[in-house]
Amino acid sequence: MLMSDMMTRDVPLLHLQDNLRRGVELLRWTKLDALPVVDKDGFLIGIFTKANVLDAFLAGADSSEIIERHYNTQVVTVEADIPYQEVEQQAKQTSVGTGVVVDKEGKVLGIFTKVDMIIALFREAEQQANKINTVYQAMPNGIIVVDQDNRIQQINPAGEKILGLKQEVIKEQLFNRVISGLDLDSVLRQSQYLVGVQTEMNQVTVLCNISPLGQMAGAVIVFQALTDLDQVALELDATKRLYETLLTVTNIAYEAIFVVDDQGKITLANEAACQFFGKRENELLQKPIDQVIENTRLLRTLKTGMAETNEIQVIYGRPYIVSRLPIVRQGKIIGAVGKITFQKLDEVKEVAQRLAQLDLELNYYKEQIGSARGPVTFNQIITVNQDMRRLKQEAEIAARGNSTIMLTGESGTGKELFAEAIHRASPHRNGPYVKVNCAAVPENLLESEFFGYAGGAFTGAQKGGKAGKFAVADGGTLFLDEIGDMSLNLQSKLLRVLEDRSFEPIGSNESVKADVRIIAATNKDLTEKVARGEFRSDLYYRLNVISFRLIPIRNRSEDIIPLVHVFLERLNQDFGKRILGVSPEVEKILIAHRWPGNVRELKNVIERAVNFAAGELLERADLPFYLREERQGPPLFLTKDWNLENAREHLDKETLEKALLEMNGNKSEVARLLGISRSWLYEKMRRYDIKTP
Ligand SMILES: Nc1ncnc2c1ncn2[C@@H]1O[C@H](COP(=O)(O)OP(=O)(O)OP(=O)(O)O)[C@@H](O)[C@H]1O
């Protein structure tokens, strides 16, 4: 807005020869307080005001007197093309009520009065308000204004749309009553500006800025719904930051650290890794790891998900200490991290060389005594399943204490494996690990088996007495497998040992201290046994201080293939074979099977298949009959050439194969289990062409 838009135009002009009467009449007619006075050429020479009139008549002037002696030559002029802001500024500084607007040559264009100023002010304010309102209505961001009592005063159309609310409904309502997710009260109490906060408002994820307007005025919340794309962008940004942080952290390390993706290609290498491999980072990135380390075991980590820590590996002809860790996301192995310790290693190298030598010797002796495997650690418990991984972590933490641990779960889910891993990670790790299968020891021997007996305790007892499992396990761990099968009599004795931490061998009055950590396991439902009175509830609670329920393999099918790879690796070693994996068809079958015998059944199936396999992959024909023929469609008897005879044969064959697998091919056991003679068993096996490994 310019002065020319605000001034009063078409103002009558007075000349020096006009008399006072004309001046007064024009002032009355125009209702103005002053009029410009011009010379004969129309140039401004002064101003004639109401004050001039009053002064003239007070001095006794007549109305016919000309105004030449009665006007002001001091006149405030303004130019027509100055903008509103400048006019406002000038108006504030001057005390005169009227200014004359002139053009560049000084010719009068109009006058500017206080009334003009007020009208202009209103017009300007209205224009500004309109502009703000247009922005407020049209902007894509939501805006909510709350007053000092947190009552909603306004919400713009975008805000209504994002939150699915209506201004007329929520106006004057308390913010926290109508909008959930953002606790505005507490935000405002701190009276802070909050910028870029990601939060939920009425279950919509939004990014918002909150500006308190001071204690007395409330606040403005400007927000924007986060679309999936925005979320991705935010996450990407966070990921980038995380990557940079990770790289910095890895660069601090002395060790060579590198990461591979699921294809075995390097995706990250720290400075020490570049130094170790003698390559620049860009030469390493995206390179298959087996082209960088010839005998890499990281590819194995990718297949099996098995972590390995501080192992000796000979790289470029020298031994190094290496660790490998799988990266698992939502049950899938998405990569692996490798670490090689190689710097500041003079002493470590010496130790490493000695260890490598010892390792070789150990392997040699292991081979001599028939493939005894090393102690079980948590690393050997293969799983990529999220819940099992959590279980592993919790068990590792529980291992550090001394409490009794109970392991439950179906047969073959890995309870024994867990028990040994817990022992190896516990403060008792240097003591013995002793296992008792409570179901396998005859009832009358159980007591002496547990507590031993003193010399001469009974006829036939060994002379010097015999140490029981509690004494053998002193300072270590006693694993009580199949605890559900323990007799009530022994249960009460066990309870006493657990309570007193001491026991008395049979035939002795002296009690012996027992520093033994107990781990118990069962595949039975102990609560049911307690309810039936077959298991003491006090013992149950005593044993159940910390308990872990292992998950059946059918509920974690993502573990099947990694487990297969671990078993294949061991079997390849044992049988001198080179089987690399399973065919896609076999993979489907393995994943679809219900695995009632869990990991043990899987292990046996793979062992059997390896025996029959001819190629580099396990094929369907290598699987036992019951898996090969496992019905994935409708039941077999619905097909057209199915009759009672071949249905029975099919069932016979399936039962025999399962029993053979379950009993590890032991034919006498199978015959006993199925209640048939050995010769009948041989006959059936011959008839159905069933082979055992
Ligand atoms: N997560 C696993 N990783 C590797 N091997 C496993 C795993 N779980 C089980 N196994 C193997 O499966 C077999 C059975 O496991 P284990 O004996 O620990 O099961 P269990 O639950 O104690 O069975 P049961 O109740 O019949 O005694 C073992 O050979 C064990 O090494």
Side-chain angles (χ1 to χ4, degrees):
M1 197 164 36
L2 299 176
M3 170 55 91
S4 51
D5 304 319
M6 297 180 253
M7 66 187 188
T8 305
R9 294 172 178 276
D10 302 328
V11 183
L13 305 174
L14 286 171
H15 294 87
L16 292 178
Q17 300 313 312
D18 288 331
N19 58 23
L20 286 174
R21 169 180 292 277
R22 180 163 166 76
V24 171
E25 279 170 356
L26 285 178
L27 284 173
R28 279 195 57 121
W29 176 64
T30 56
K31 294 194 180 96
L32 294 170
D33 289 338
L35 289 170
V37 181
V38 293
D39 65 9
K40 59 180 177 354
D41 299 318
F43 289 108
L44 180 72
I45 51 169
I47 190 159
F48 181 70
T49 67
K50 280 181 179 169
N52 292 143
V53 175
L54 294 175
D55 287 348
F57 287 122
L58 276 179
D62 190 75
S63 61
S64 58
E65 223 171 277
I66 56 170
I67 62 167
E68 190 171 4
R69 282 188 290 122
H70 299 289
Y71 77 102
N72 272 341
T73 50
Q74 299 288 312
V75 54
V76 174
T77 58
V78 270
E79 286 180 10
D81 55 357
I82 61 170
Y84 168 82
Q85 286 77 7
E86 223 172 284
V87 177
E88 194 187 324
Q89 213 48 42
Q90 287 190 12
K92 277 184 198 158
Q93 285 163 6
T94 179
S95 57
V96 288
T98 307
V100 181
V101 185
V102 288
D103 65 10
K104 290 264 181 289
E105 280 102 43
K107 285 220 161 139
V108 177
L109 296 172
I111 62 167
F112 182 65
T113 67
K114 279 183 181 158
V115 176
D116 290 332
M117 183 67 220
I118 292 169
I119 292 170
L121 207 72
F122 278 134
R123 272 169 55 200
E124 178 68 15
E126 199 178 314
Q127 269 181 18
Q128 290 298 344
N130 279 343
K131 269 191 212 159
I132 293 172
N133 197 37
T134 311
V135 174
Y136 175 79
Q137 299 289 335
M139 78 191 283
N141 296 58
I143 299 177
I144 297 178
V145 182
V146 295
D147 67 8
Q148 68 270 29
D149 300 322
N150 279 356
R151 288 189 187 277
I152 295 172
Q153 296 306 305
Q154 266 177 305
I155 178 167
N156 71 342
E160 289 181 323
K161 199 162 153 218
I162 295 169
L163 300 180
L165 296 169
K166 279 270 154 233
Q167 156 130 331
E168 52 272 28
V169 180
I170 62 169
K171 197 168 159 76
E172 293 301 333
Q173 302 269 355
L174 278 171
F175 181 91
N176 289 349
R177 284 258 175 83
V178 213
I179 294 167
S180 63
L182 175 66
D183 183 4
L184 196 62
D185 288 347
S186 68
V187 171
L188 292 186
R189 233 175 284 126
Q190 293 158 23
S191 210
Q192 276 178 346
Y193 288 88
L194 292 179
V195 180
V197 184
Q198 187 177 336
T199 181
E200 294 275 314
M201 279 166 79
N202 280 5
Q203 283 146 25
V204 182
T205 310
V206 296
L207 195 65
C208 69
N209 294 349
I210 304 169
S211 316
L213 302 174
Q215 291 270 305
M216 299 309 291
V220 180
I221 303 136
V222 181
F223 56 99
Q224 167 186 1
L226 282 182
T227 59
D228 291 348
L229 210 63
D230 296 328
Q231 299 248 38
V232 171
L234 275 178
E235 276 167 25
L236 200 66
D237 191 48
T239 311
K240 274 188 195 155
R241 265 185 274 165
L242 202 65
Y243 179 82
E244 296 298 334
T245 315
L246 186 73
L247 208 61
T248 315
V249 172
T250 55
N251 279 339
I252 292 174
Y254 280 131
E255 293 96 345
I257 295 174
F258 45 97
V259 178
V260 296
D261 63 12
D262 58 344
Q263 303 300 311
K265 287 196 184 138
I266 299 176
T267 54
L268 182 147
N270 72 347
E271 283 163 11
C274 298
Q275 201 182 329
F276 179 78
F277 295 121
K279 292 206 161 35
R280 279 195 296 275
E281 191 189 4
N282 58 1
E283 291 175 303
L284 286 174
L285 292 182
Q286 291 308 314
K287 206 162 190 176
I289 186 71
D290 51 357
Q291 287 180 20
V292 182
I293 308 175
E294 208 179 65
N295 53 343
T296 180
R297 277 166 68 91
L298 264 190
L299 296 180
R300 168 182 186 267
T301 314
L302 286 178
K303 275 186 177 172
T304 62
M306 188 168 181
E308 291 171 299
T309 21
N310 297 333
E311 305 238 322
I312 306 295
Q313 185 181 354
V314 177
I315 306 173
Y316 308 146
R318 306 179 74 161
Y320 294 99
I321 298 176
V322 300
S323 295
R324 306 169 194 96
L325 208 70
I327 307 172
V328 179
R329 183 156 189 261
Q330 290 169 347
K332 272 198 152 166
I333 303 166
I334 56 162
V337 189
K339 186 180 90 173
I340 305 174
T341 309
F342 73 105
Q343 291 196 44
K344 308 221 161 184
L345 260 191
D346 289 344
E347 315 95 79
V348 183
K349 249 183 222 158
E350 212 178 290
V351 177
Q353 270 156 352
R354 275 216 312 274
L355 276 175
Q357 184 57 35
L358 283 174
D359 219 31
L360 283 177
E361 283 174 26
L362 188 66
N363 282 341
Y364 170 79
Y365 289 119
K366 269 188 195 168
E367 270 169 31
Q368 296 298 304
I369 58 169
S371 93
R373 308 251 175 236
V376 173
T377 63
F378 279 104
N379 278 352
Q380 266 129 293
I381 302 177
I382 306 298
T383 184
V384 291
N385 173 273
Q386 226 172 349
D387 295 333
M388 275 292 274
R389 283 165 73 86
R390 195 170 321 120
L391 233 133
K392 250 172 79 169
Q393 281 165 1
E394 287 171 3
E396 209 164 349
I397 294 168
R400 292 181 211 142
N402 200 21
S403 305
T404 302
I405 294 181
M406 175 71 127
L407 300 167
T408 61
E410 291 177 15
S411 172
T413 43
K415 297 185 290 295
E416 190 173 341
L417 213 58
F418 261 77
E420 193 174 342
I422 291 171
H423 167 70
R424 301 283 163 216
S426 77
H428 285 80
R429 72 174 78 83
N430 295 323
Y433 169 72
V434 178
K435 177 193 162 184
V436 185
N437 184 338
C438 305
V441 186
E443 166 70 32
N444 57 344
L445 291 187
L446 260 177
E447 197 173 341
S448 68
E449 183 74 11
F450 270 104
F451 309 118
Y453 51 82
F458 49 84
T459 350
Q462 283 175 31
K463 220 169 161 204
K466 182 177 178 275
K469 297 288 186 195
F470 268 104
V472 176
D474 192 34
T477 304
L478 184 58
F479 173 46
L480 304 177
D481 203 1
E482 316 279 7
I483 187 96
D485 292 331
M486 189 180 264
S487 71
L488 279 168
N489 174 30
L490 197 68
Q491 283 176 32
S492 48
K493 294 203 167 133
L494 177 63
L495 182 64
R496 213 168 321 127
V497 184
L498 291 179
E499 272 166 359
D500 302 347
R501 294 269 152 204
S502 65
F503 61 93
E504 283 167 17
I506 301 173
S508 157
N509 293 329
E510 267 175 48
S511 78
V512 182
K513 278 253 151 282
D515 171 26
V516 174
R517 207 252 178 98
I518 305 284
I519 303 177
T522 182
N523 51 24
K524 305 262 161 60
D525 185 348
L526 275 194
T527 48
E528 215 173 77
K529 285 201 154 239
V530 170
R532 283 205 302 266
E534 290 165 15
F535 202 88
R536 293 181 62 119
S537 60
D538 40 10
L539 178 63
Y540 172 75
Y541 291 115
R542 187 94 216 173
L543 291 172
N544 223 20
V545 181
I546 302 175
S547 73
F548 296 106
R549 177 155 198 82
L550 303 197
I551 306 165
I553 190 93
R554 68 178 160 281
N555 293 346
R556 48 181 172 108
S557 55
E558 65 269 42
D559 278 349
I560 293 176
I561 299 303
L563 277 164
V564 167
H565 282 289
V566 173
F567 298 148
L568 277 179
E569 187 179 90
R570 285 182 201 156
L571 293 163
N572 279 339
Q573 244 178 45
D574 291 351
F575 299 147
K577 292 211 170 192
R578 197 172 165 274
I579 295 167
L580 303 178
V582 298
S583 71
E585 191 186 10
V586 169
E587 181 168 334
K588 261 198 211 143
I589 296 177
L590 296 183
I591 288 180
H593 183 56
R594 304 277 305 154
W595 300 109
N598 287 298
V599 186
R600 181 179 294 112
E601 182 186 356
L602 176 65
K603 198 171 177 183
N604 291 345
V605 164
I606 298 303
E607 180 165 345
R608 179 200 191 277
V610 166
N611 274 282
F612 289 114
E616 284 194 329
L617 292 182
L618 296 183
E619 299 293 344
R620 184 161 181 240
D622 305 326
L623 295 178
F625 182 75
Y626 76 92
L627 273 179
R628 228 181 312 159
E629 296 298 308
E630 197 151 69
R631 277 155 266 161
Q632 271 139 35
L636 280 175
F637 53 78
L638 290 183
T639 61
K640 72 178 177 357
D641 42 42
W642 198 244
N643 58 38
L644 201 56
E645 184 60 22
N646 50 24
R648 175 143 17 97
E649 264 185 27
H650 185 90
L651 197 63
D652 273 3
K653 200 169 171 187
E654 197 170 308
T655 313
L656 283 179
E657 282 213 316
K658 268 192 181 164
L660 278 162
L661 207 66
E662 190 66 20
M663 296 295 148
N664 272 329
N666 183 327
K667 300 193 190 60
S668 319
E669 289 283 304
V670 171
R672 198 173 49 75
L673 182 76
L674 300 180
I676 55 175
S677 69
R678 272 168 59 95
S679 54
W680 188 222
L681 175 67
Y682 279 111
E683 167 57 25
K684 289 250 174 196
M685 284 175 65
R686 195 194 48 74
R687 166 125 57 103
Y688 301 136
D689 192 25
I690 297 176
K691 297 184 181 66
T692 49

